[in-house]
Amino acid sequence: LILVACSSLHKQAKKHLADESYTEAMSVYKKILESNTNDEEATAGLREARTGWLNQKLVEVKFLRLSGDRQTSLELLYDLYQKENSWKLFLIGPSANYQKKEINFALIYISKLVSTALSEKKPLKAQFILDKYRNFYQSESAQVNYNSLQGQVKTSGIKQCRDLSSKLTKEQFYYGSFVAKFCNVWNLKKPNLLRQIRKIRGKLYSSIKLESMNSNLPPGHVKKLNEYLLKGLKKTPWYTKSGKNILKLSLDGKYKYTHSREEKSLKHSYLVSIPYTEERIEKKSVDDKKSNFGAALELTSATVDLMTTLSGGKTDSSHTTDNGDGTVTVHETKYREEPREAKYIATEHTEVFNVSFSLTGLFNHESLEIFHDKSDWKSSIQNNNSMPEIGLKRTKADLIGKAYWFDQQSRVVADTLEIKLNDTWDSLYCNDEFIDKKNNKLIESMFRCLKVRDDDIPKEFENLFELSIGLTIHDANKVVDRVL
């Protein structure tokens, strides 16, 4: 079946090649090679399909360029170039010359894109373009052109870096942090954010102080909970090591743990092999007329089989009895599995957990409340009996323990704190009310919003960023590593 299926796939792939449906051919050959990586015919076919695809796309690049769609032509040429490097498969002969011509046309268009970005005072966009198509600049003359463009971009970037740095207000710490990354693209150590850092420290938190008011929690548990809460705080933008604020929370609640033991009479099920004999009459054959030596050997074998059976073995055996009428009776020993049960005494351990507490305090001048109620139980068996002949083994009770269980609850509470603090930040800086404010507050709010949103960024912020920088936030991350 495998061979038939493989043969069918090969036929499909060859038909796709004949029809110049190279994408479909590549898909089929990949499927074949997933089943058999050593299929030489599929390996050669995949290479042929990829070469056909490259040549086909190269023709599309030319037609798109001639039709005036230079941007789509450039993107397709870029994709083609990436595929060549990924596949370690490069065009040769006339196709290679054809590709060089298209790259030369592309370099002219790239130079135009860079110049346009610089004229619009968007050097980060220009740098993104140069970085993206860097591998197109292979020839000596292309290298000269690249260095010239890079020099122009750097000059423009440095100028804009100084301009942006000089206009920062003391409230713009997060926007200022982006400007610092912007400047670092061209190795400038600007701006100095000391004013902004001093301002933001007054709004951020450096630690958590947990006070146990009406609680029966052991001091060790309270300390552990405080540690997890601090870890939760550190995952939010509200934390900085040098923050001037301490998040004070009052702990009120109860915690209970019980561990009981009870003797249990249990049953262990197992199977035993029971021998039985089946008899049948057969005609006596010439081979059954054994010599005295053969009969003695057969008797010896039957005796060994009988001893094996008596000792608990499962060796199948058979012997024959001559009936004296031209027939023999065949006696065949077989085995059947029968269920058995063995009673034994074990200890059942039952753990019961319960915690109910609340955390209250003030955060960013607003009340903060976290409530956590959780009950749980677990039962496990401890068996000290060992009877390997029936498969019964000693087992230890699988105990959770009060320290581990409370540790898990502490993690849940810390996660809840993290979510609440991030939601608070989000509601402050990712809402629409900033759209009507003056530009410097809007820009700062945008960058603060990006601290908690990797996706689902407000459309107004996306548009503002692209309008200001010339790139989407996603593309800007490729140049500055991360916007924030």
Side-chain angles (χ1 to χ4, degrees):
L1 287 174
I2 293 172
L3 290 173
V4 169
C6 189
S7 176
S8 176
L9 289 174
H10 273 289
K11 288 179 181 178
Q12 289 180 36
K14 287 178 180 178
K15 187 177 185 308
H16 288 316
L17 283 178
D19 295 340
E20 296 185 358
S21 301
Y22 298 116
T23 301
E24 290 79 2
M26 287 189 290
S27 177
V28 176
Y29 280 128
K30 285 180 182 177
K31 189 173 181 180
I32 296 171
L33 290 169
E34 284 174 3
S35 300
N36 181 13
T37 56
N38 297 320
D39 192 318
E40 295 182 0
E41 183 181 350
T43 302
L46 179 60
R47 185 179 183 86
E48 182 181 351
R50 284 174 170 175
T51 302
W53 184 91
L54 292 171
N55 280 294
Q56 198 174 62
K57 295 302 175 184
L58 194 55
V59 173
E60 289 183 35
V61 168
K62 179 181 179 180
F63 280 119
L64 286 167
R65 174 177 58 80
L66 292 175
S67 68
D69 194 350
R70 299 292 297 275
Q71 187 61 44
T72 307
S73 175
L74 176 62
E75 291 304 316
L76 184 54
L77 183 62
Y78 175 76
D79 185 41
L80 185 153
Y81 198 85
Q82 294 291 96
K83 287 287 195 300
E84 281 184 292
N85 286 286
S86 173
W87 295 339
K88 301 291 188 295
L89 178 64
F90 304 98
L91 295 174
I92 59 175
S95 295
N97 293 329
Y98 194 4
Q99 185 181 28
K100 286 180 182 178
K101 289 180 181 180
E102 289 304 323
I103 287 177
N104 287 333
F105 283 120
L107 290 176
I108 295 171
Y109 182 62
I110 292 168
S111 295
K112 183 179 178 181
L113 291 176
V114 171
S115 298
T116 300
L118 293 178
S119 67
E120 295 172 350
K121 296 182 179 180
K122 293 182 172 62
L124 198 67
K125 179 180 180 181
Q127 188 63 59
F128 171 80
I129 295 168
L130 276 182
D131 290 349
K132 181 175 180 178
Y133 301 110
R134 177 70 179 88
N135 289 333
F136 282 177
Y137 292 86
Q138 297 292 332
S139 67
E140 189 173 334
S141 59
Q143 283 285 339
V144 172
N145 183 33
Y146 175 84
N147 291 334
S148 174
L149 289 171
Q150 183 62 78
Q152 295 173 47
V153 172
K154 184 175 182 179
T155 299
S156 177
I158 290 173
K159 183 178 179 182
Q160 191 169 37
C161 165
R162 289 170 176 163
D163 183 53
L164 295 176
S165 299
S166 66
K167 294 178 181 178
L168 285 175
T169 67
K170 63 181 180 180
E171 287 83 13
Q172 291 180 312
F173 172 75
Y174 293 95
Y175 174 52
S177 299
F178 167 73
V179 172
K181 287 193 171 187
F182 177 94
C183 295
N184 193 52
V185 171
W186 299 284
N187 298 319
L188 263 72
K189 302 302 179 184
K190 279 184 171 289
N192 185 326
L193 298 176
L194 288 178
R195 288 189 311 148
Q196 289 80 7
I197 291 172
R198 280 196 289 266
K199 185 74 176 178
I200 199 66
R201 279 176 182 167
K203 296 182 178 181
L204 302 184
Y205 294 78
S206 61
S207 61
I208 288 180
K209 185 177 181 181
L210 190 60
E211 296 180 352
S212 182
M213 306 298 288
N214 300 312
S215 170
N216 67 346
L217 291 175
H221 285 8
V222 175
K223 182 180 178 182
K224 197 69 175 179
L225 177 60
N226 202 117
E227 290 175 3
Y228 280 118
L229 291 171
L230 180 57
K231 288 180 180 179
L233 172 64
K234 287 181 177 180
K235 294 177 182 178
T236 75
W238 291 102
Y239 172 82
T240 183
K241 190 175 181 180
S242 57
K244 293 184 178 180
N245 296 317
I246 297 174
L247 178 54
K248 297 178 181 179
L249 296 173
S250 297
L251 173 62
D252 186 0
K254 295 181 179 179
Y255 176 63
K256 184 178 180 180
Y257 170 79
T258 60
H259 176 197
S260 60
R261 300 168 179 81
E262 182 182 356
E263 296 296 315
K264 289 275 186 178
S265 177
L266 303 178
K267 294 179 180 179
H268 173 72
S269 298
Y270 62 99
L271 296 174
V272 294
S273 296
I274 305 298
Y276 66 95
T277 302
E278 281 189 357
E279 296 181 351
R280 64 180 182 274
I281 297 175
E282 295 180 355
K283 288 183 179 181
K284 189 175 183 181
S285 65
V286 176
D287 292 338
D288 290 327
K289 298 175 182 178
K290 298 180 177 64
S291 63
N292 292 335
F293 176 77
L297 184 62
E298 184 183 75
L299 178 61
T300 302
S301 176
T303 303
V304 171
D305 289 340
L306 178 61
M307 292 176 66
T308 302
T309 300
L310 292 173
S311 64
K314 293 185 179 181
T315 303
D316 290 339
S317 63
S318 63
H319 66 279
T320 60
T321 302
D322 193 336
N323 298 325
D325 59 357
T327 64
V328 294
T329 300
V330 179
H331 309 272
E332 186 172 1
T333 302
K334 292 189 174 182
Y335 295 86
R336 63 175 177 271
E337 301 292 325
E338 289 189 1
R340 294 284 190 274
E341 285 185 345
K343 292 183 178 181
Y344 65 100
I345 301 299
T347 304
E348 182 180 36
H349 294 255
T350 302
E351 296 175 285
V352 179
F353 310 87
N354 181 267
V355 67
S356 175
F357 60 75
S358 64
L359 294 171
T360 57
L362 286 177
F363 177 76
N364 196 39
H365 309 296
E366 300 287 340
S367 63
L368 173 67
E369 295 180 329
I370 297 176
F371 300 100
H372 185 69
D373 290 280
K374 179 70 175 177
S375 296
D376 203 357
W377 71 276
K378 184 180 179 182
S379 178
S380 60
I381 297 296
Q382 177 183 344
N383 171 38
N384 295 322
N385 301 281
S386 177
M387 289 182 273
E389 65 276 7
I390 62 172
L392 182 62
K393 298 179 181 179
R394 290 189 177 93
T395 57
K396 292 183 179 180
D398 185 17
L399 300 176
I400 296 176
K402 61 181 180 180
Y404 179 81
W405 188 84
F406 186 79
D407 186 79
Q408 299 305 305
Q409 305 315 304
S410 300
R411 292 173 186 266
V412 172
V413 175
D415 290 342
T416 303
L417 176 69
E418 178 189 344
I419 292 169
K420 280 182 172 287
L421 299 191
N422 279 332
D423 285 348
T424 301
W425 186 279
D426 188 281
S427 65
L428 283 172
Y429 303 116
C430 297
N431 59 61
D432 295 337
E433 70 173 89
F434 284 94
I435 304 303
D436 298 326
K437 294 194 174 184
K438 61 182 182 179
N439 197 48
N440 62 343
K441 287 189 176 181
L442 174 58
I443 291 176
E444 174 66 6
S445 177
M446 174 178 68
F447 282 96
R448 291 189 183 197
C449 179
L450 294 178
K451 289 292 290 182
V452 292
R453 292 212 189 179
D454 289 327
D455 50 23
D456 194 27
I457 298 167
K459 194 64 179 176
E460 293 83 357
F461 289 166
E462 286 271 19
N463 294 339
L464 175 62
F465 189 92
E466 191 164 358
L467 182 66
S468 305
I469 305 300
L471 294 172
T472 64
I473 294 172
H474 174 75
D475 285 341
N477 282 333
K478 296 176 183 178
V479 187
V480 299
D481 184 31
R482 272 191 64 83
V483 169
L484 277 177

